[in-house]
Amino acid sequence: MQEYKLKRGFSPDIERIYEEVGKCFPVDIKRDGDKLSVSYGVIKELSVSMNGKMLVVDTDMDVSSVDDELILDTNKRFRDFLLIATGYTAKERRNQAKKAVAK
């Protein structure tokens, strides 16, 4: 499980996150209260919820897949989702994670 900070101006609203998940993963989104779940490509289950102003993401990956195209597509969609949901690029998220560990 990983928590991501939202950039200023990005609403911690689960409805907004629902729309962003739908944009990145063209599959049915399961909803259990304020928790969203999808299964796409090599991701067996992607669970998304909000913890205050933090985006909580839990992934379960299918490591047995050998289809490189599917792996690349899934990873790109996941990175794109994190970008539009949090407002931070992968590099910015990495730097924030480093700061959090250093504290």
Side-chain angles (χ1 to χ4, degrees):
M1 178 172 41
Q2 186 69 38
E3 290 189 345
Y4 299 96
K5 180 180 171 185
L6 300 182
K7 197 172 202 175
R8 179 179 289 185
F10 282 71
S11 168
D13 178 29
I14 198 68
E15 294 302 321
R16 182 184 72 81
I17 301 301
Y18 181 89
E19 290 176 18
E20 307 304 358
V21 169
K23 289 177 189 175
C24 295
F25 301 102
V27 294
D28 289 335
I29 303 169
K30 297 175 196 148
R31 188 175 211 150
D32 183 19
D34 285 345
K35 184 177 180 181
L36 309 174
S37 299
V38 296
S39 177
Y40 181 87
V42 295
I43 299 175
K44 287 182 189 176
E45 183 178 21
L46 169 70
S47 299
V48 180
S49 60
M50 295 301 302
N51 182 9
K53 293 185 178 182
M54 301 290 281
L55 178 70
V56 179
V57 179
D58 191 21
T59 56
D60 184 18
M61 306 296 277
D62 178 10
V63 294
S64 66
S65 179
V66 293
D67 184 356
D68 290 341
E69 288 294 320
L70 184 61
I71 293 169
L72 292 173
D73 176 61
T74 304
N75 285 339
K76 181 182 183 327
R77 289 176 184 274
F78 181 67
R79 288 189 312 271
D80 289 347
F81 163 69
L82 289 177
L83 174 63
I84 63 175
T86 66
Y88 291 110
T89 64
K91 188 174 184 179
E92 291 169 326
R93 291 190 306 270
R94 182 197 66 206
N95 290 340
Q96 289 176 352
K98 282 183 180 179
K99 286 180 186 176
V101 170
K103 286 184 179 180

